[in-house]
Amino acid sequence: SARLATFWVLFGLGLPAFAQVKHVGDDVTLSVVGTSDLHGHLAALPWLAGYVENLRQRRQADGGGVLLLDAGDMFQGTLESNLAEGAPVVAAYNALGYTAVAIGNHEFDFGPAGPAPSPTGPDDDPRGALKERAAEAHFPFLISNVVDKKTGKSVAWRNVHPSVMVTVGSIKVGLVGAVTAATPHSALPANVAGLTFLPLAPSINKQARWLRSHGAKVVIAVVHEGGACTDFRDPEKLDSCDARSEIFAVAHELRGVDAIVAGHTHQALAQRVAGIPIIQSYSNGRAFGRVDLTVDRATGRVLTSHLERPHDLCQSGAHEPCRAGEYEGRAVEKDGKVVAVTAPAFEAAKNKSEEVLGVEVVRPLPQNRKQETALGNLLADLMRAARPADVAMINGGGMRAPLPAGPLTYGRLYETFPFDNAFASLRISAGEFRRLLARSLTHAVSLVALSGVRMRTACEAGELQIALYRIDGTPIRDDETLSMTTTDFLATGGDGFFAGAKIDYEIGVPIRDAMAEALRQRGGKLDPTDRALYDPANPRISLPAGNDMPVSCPR
């Protein structure tokens, strides 16, 4: 069997390695398969299992091994996963035989085990749900750059480690995990209270040195931070890549790391940076990444690395049934065990998903992170209806799917706004709000949606100028104070907003559920051509001509 070799893991952890190595020749091929940002999309996993099984059989035949790794954000995002706080994902990953996973920033979203998204009393564990998922896993959770403020040491949670070491045949492989240091800006403050998030590279380097000193011949970093490239024909070329890719900066600082499995940005990589191959494979179970490491059996030294372009699980069209085709010379088949493991989650989500909200969507409401849309304005209006204030604001990145035509159901709303964000309220001067909007417009990749105000922008002498108006056209003076309702993501500094301000967080009904109730009260029809939702002649946000996000003003 391909599952007979064993891991040798730091801290005495023993796990199956899914690699039986036959001693064929002097070299060993280790295939590193990377996934990330699944966000609860369980339907993809039986197909992924089919690909991995074909690869495992190929490596078993030639004396190599497979390491199946995930770079985080596994749970949060679909009804079937969220209803059980990610437990179905862990069950499926157990069936798939994952080697290890990194903890992502959204792994902190569920807070305590149970319905409350954040602690409501002194006995609530703010990381209770995450700890339960880690304890259920047959593979380690990795996080090297998070420290408990009380102890000054790495967090001491069951089955959570800074790094582990596995033996695949005769090759000892060290695995180190890390999460974006920006996590406190995308999580409810109470859920990350008492934790320090350290810079990535020094934390990874520290573990890499430890692993090497304890016999690791190969070291792989599994990091919830990433980049973005679009051309994968030549891994040495970075012309198609976003120069601001955070994982590139990290790679230049790393020492003793042979490969990186990246994530977080929902983009793709199959590039070599500072000599280190990096793989990343979009999000929502669309694809997997792969890098093959050829290792000298005698010395354990990595001789070569071969990067493959991200491989889409389905070779069929977006609106067709999935067709996987062949991989490693064999037809890819859905894994029946993974189908069976995930079936109860889909059944549990079905009734909730089909709940109708009493609204008819006449035409689809498109999603676009970089432009004002009727969808974004609708959600901002629903927030202000649910929690009245002068202004409501939501980030474009929080909207993950369009609303299709037809009767609006809870499930469709959930797909559009899948995160269990909490309401946050604050008071802010209009002048300070203008300054924060200017920073967001020039730095963030997604455009906010506003309700209650209009924003006019212009480029003057190379600088972005912003003026605010009430809905009736009355100018808003800088010395006026505005009441605001927004998401906990923006309130904690997401997209460069309100970090450090005095903010009240509402622990209770998630924003999405309050939106659902506001829709029930609203009733009627939704149409993207409704001028109350979006008026192209009088938009809520006017950007300088020729600009989308981020805005630039040439000097």
Side-chain angles (χ1 to χ4, degrees):
S1 164
R3 304 187 176 187
L4 296 180
T6 57
F7 283 165
W8 177 75
V9 180
L10 303 187
F11 315 109
L13 186 67
L15 297 167
F18 299 97
Q20 177 185 5
V21 174
K22 298 178 180 179
H23 291 272
V24 179
D26 297 325
D27 301 337
V28 176
T29 299
L30 301 181
S31 291
V32 180
V33 175
T35 58
S36 70
D37 300 276
L38 180 73
H39 286 291
H41 284 73
L42 295 169
L45 296 181
W47 290 109
L48 174 63
Y51 282 96
V52 174
E53 178 59 24
N54 286 8
L55 181 56
R56 283 175 174 150
Q57 291 195 25
R58 171 58 64 91
R59 289 286 81 88
Q60 181 183 4
D62 66 17
V66 177
L67 295 125
L68 179 56
L69 305 170
D70 188 281
D73 278 8
M74 298 165 278
F75 309 139
Q76 170 69 273
T78 64
L79 197 55
E80 54 268 21
S81 173
N82 286 21
L83 284 176
E85 299 187 314
V89 174
V90 171
Y93 276 25
N94 283 340
L96 269 153
Y98 267 81
T99 310
V101 300
I103 291 175
N105 56 296
H106 283 295
E107 262 69 80
F108 294 92
D109 284 357
F110 293 127
S118 202
T120 58
D123 296 330
D124 284 346
D125 184 344
R127 270 79 69 180
L130 172 55
K131 291 178 183 178
E132 283 194 359
R133 298 295 81 76
E136 293 164 357
H138 300 166
F139 47 86
F141 281 45
L142 304 178
I143 192 164
S144 65
N145 65 319
V146 175
V147 171
D148 187 313
K149 288 181 179 179
K150 288 184 178 179
T151 65
K153 299 179 180 179
S154 297
V155 293
W157 307 335
R158 181 181 170 189
N159 197 31
V160 177
H161 309 286
S163 61
V164 296
M165 189 144 59
V166 303
T167 298
V168 182
S170 59
I171 308 299
K172 291 182 178 178
V173 181
L175 305 172
V176 53
V179 63
T180 173
T183 297
H185 300 310
S186 61
L188 278 169
N191 290 359
V192 293
L195 301 178
T196 299
F197 291 78
L198 301 173
L200 293 169
S203 302
I204 296 169
N205 281 337
K206 179 181 178 181
Q207 292 301 314
R209 288 193 298 271
W210 201 100
L211 290 162
R212 295 280 185 186
S213 71
H214 285 73
K217 301 302 182 183
V218 177
V219 174
I220 300 169
V222 192
V223 188
H224 193 70
E225 186 59 89
C229 298
T230 57
D231 187 344
F232 311 110
R233 291 173 295 179
D234 184 346
E236 309 298 335
K237 290 188 176 180
L238 306 181
D239 307 33
S240 72
C241 304
D242 185 341
R244 298 167 298 177
S245 295
E246 182 67 25
I247 199 65
F248 289 4
V250 171
H252 280 283
E253 296 182 50
L254 294 183
R255 301 293 180 269
V257 171
D258 296 295
I260 299 172
V261 177
H264 186 51
T265 60
H266 292 201
Q267 301 299 313
L269 298 171
Q271 265 69 25
R272 191 173 284 106
V273 178
I276 304 175
I278 308 174
I279 54 174
Q280 186 179 341
S281 47
Y282 303 110
S283 63
N284 299 342
R286 167 183 165 178
F288 63 89
R290 175 178 166 186
V291 57
D292 287 351
L293 305 177
T294 303
V295 183
D296 182 271
R297 190 186 305 280
T299 65
R301 187 167 62 91
V302 175
L303 302 174
T304 63
S305 60
H306 174 72
L307 282 152
E308 293 193 0
R309 64 184 303 131
H311 195 103
D312 284 333
L313 297 183
C314 298
Q315 308 304 304
S316 45
H319 302 293
E320 301 174 28
C322 185
R323 295 194 307 274
E326 291 191 351
Y327 192 66
E328 291 294 338
R330 298 174 63 242
V332 176
E333 299 179 1
K334 290 177 72 171
D335 187 295
K337 182 178 180 182
V338 178
V339 171
V341 164
T342 56
F346 285 104
E347 184 62 30
K350 187 171 183 286
N351 289 340
K352 184 67 176 177
S353 178
E354 293 175 352
E355 200 175 279
V356 293
L357 302 181
V359 174
E360 180 81 15
V361 181
V362 177
R363 297 177 184 84
L365 271 66
Q367 169 217 18
N368 189 326
R369 293 189 181 196
K370 294 180 177 289
Q371 297 176 1
E372 180 181 337
T373 63
L375 176 61
N377 291 344
L378 169 67
L379 297 188
D381 288 348
L382 292 173
M383 287 179 65
R384 196 158 68 100
R387 300 294 183 272
D390 294 326
V391 183
M393 182 170 65
I394 187 172
N395 58 300
M399 293 172 269
R400 294 303 176 99
L403 281 181
L408 182 56
T409 63
Y410 185 87
R412 287 175 169 174
L413 177 63
Y414 202 105
E415 291 172 2
T416 294
F417 194 69
F419 301 115
D420 288 342
N421 286 118
F423 282 105
S425 59
L426 65 148
R427 297 180 68 79
I428 188 171
S429 72
E432 176 65 7
F433 186 36
R434 282 198 312 107
R435 185 187 71 79
L436 292 172
L437 286 169
R439 186 184 188 285
S440 175
L441 288 174
T442 55
H443 289 81
V445 296
S446 63
L447 181 67
V448 297
L450 297 172
S451 177
V453 297
R454 297 188 187 278
M455 176 172 63
R456 299 287 175 259
T457 65
C459 288
E460 296 180 8
E463 298 291 336
L464 182 65
Q465 303 297 323
I466 293 178
L468 296 176
Y469 300 85
R470 299 191 186 277
I471 294 299
D472 63 6
T474 305
I476 301 175
R477 303 187 315 272
D478 278 357
D479 61 357
E480 291 187 61
T481 298
L482 300 173
S483 61
M484 179 172 294
T485 185
T486 187
T487 67
D488 58 279
F489 169 76
L490 291 177
T492 53
D495 287 354
F497 275 96
F498 305 106
K502 185 179 184 303
I503 296 164
D504 292 323
Y505 296 96
E506 179 181 321
I507 306 303
V509 176
I511 291 175
R512 180 187 54 256
D513 287 4
M515 288 179 177
E517 182 56 34
L519 283 164
R520 292 187 186 97
Q521 297 296 323
R522 182 187 191 280
K525 299 181 183 297
L526 292 173
D527 190 329
T529 64
D530 182 351
R531 297 298 176 89
L533 288 181
Y534 175 58
D535 183 356
N538 188 25
R540 299 185 188 184
I541 300 174
S542 70
L543 298 181
N547 269 277
D548 59 12
M549 296 294 292
V551 173
S552 62
C553 288
R555 294 185 178 276

